[in-house]
Structures are given as structure tokens and as C-alpha cells.
Amino acid sequence: QVHLVESGGGLVQAGGSLRLSCAASGRTFSSYGMGWFRQAPGKERESSAAISGSGGSTIYADSVKGRFTISRDNAKNTVYLQMNSLTPEDTAIYYCAAALAAWGIDSNVYDFWGQGTQVTVSS
């Protein structure tokens, strides 16, 4: 069982930046692939970024490529999402997720989910 807690969301103006954090419980954090997903009001959940257990591989959705950076610190059991050049279209609840057997942008591979953190970008 992995417990995930997101933080770092908030209100930011367009063009601004935020860094989200996701703290995970457990002693085998490096065994889990991690992903960030988001869900805007009235829309389906979509992937933003994912990172392998070692942190050596990452993948991004086209909508955030070049603006968002996913990283992890396995010593701190934490995964981050640095978000730059934010636009109102990035407004959503952002969720982190953990996958034991795989990783990637497919939400179906993830076993555990956090409660989410709200990101609101004003124009």
C-alpha cells in the first residue's frame, strides 16, 4: 500500500510557475513508476507526465511538453512537477499516481492515487 499526498497547488497568473510535490509513504518508493495526471472541470482525466522508478526515464503529454518537468527524489520519497509558462488551460486538479509494475501515460497502469491539488491559472 502506498499513500500519496500532493501539495503545491494554488492560484497563479498566466505565464507564471508552480511546483507540485507528491510525498509517498513506504520504503520501496524507487520501485514505483510515478505519474502526474490532471482533470479539468467537465473534462476527462488526462496524463501530464510520468517518470520511471529510477528517475532515468520520463515522458510527457504533448500539451505540457517543453513547459512541465517531472522529477523525483527517491531519498525523500517525493516526486515533483515543475510547471512553467502556465496558461488558463492548465487549470485543473492535479493528481499523482504510483504504479508498481509499469509506468507511463496510461492511467490504467497505476495502482495508487493521491487526493489531488487544485491549480488555477488566471488570465
Side-chain angles (χ1 to χ4, degrees):
Q1 186 76 14
V2 176
H3 184 55
L4 303 172
V5 179
E6 302 96 335
S7 62
L11 174 64
V12 64
Q13 289 188 332
S17 299
L18 281 175
R19 189 176 82 153
L20 306 182
S21 299
C22 173
S25 64
R27 295 176 289 178
T28 59
F29 180 65
S30 61
S31 300
Y32 289 85
M34 300 294 295
W36 283 99
F37 295 79
R38 66 186 186 182
Q39 187 165 19
K43 295 187 177 181
E44 293 186 355
R45 183 173 55 195
E46 64 176 14
S47 171
S48 290
I51 188 167
S52 63
S54 68
S57 298
T58 58
I59 188 170
Y60 296 91
D62 288 344
S63 59
V64 306
K65 198 173 295 182
R67 301 187 299 123
F68 291 11
T69 302
I70 189 171
S71 62
R72 65 191 297 161
D73 185 337
N74 286 343
K76 295 183 178 180
N77 279 18
T78 302
V79 63
Y80 305 97
L81 186 67
Q82 177 67 43
M83 306 186 296
N84 299 328
S85 302
L86 286 162
T87 73
E89 288 68 38
D90 295 314
T91 295
I93 299 174
Y94 283 72
Y95 300 90
C96 72
L100 182 57
W103 69 282
I105 60 174
D106 181 355
S107 62
N108 292 317
V109 307
Y110 288 89
D111 305 296
F112 305 101
W113 293 81
Q115 296 283 5
T117 185
Q118 176 71 48
V119 171
T120 303
V121 184
S122 63
S123 58

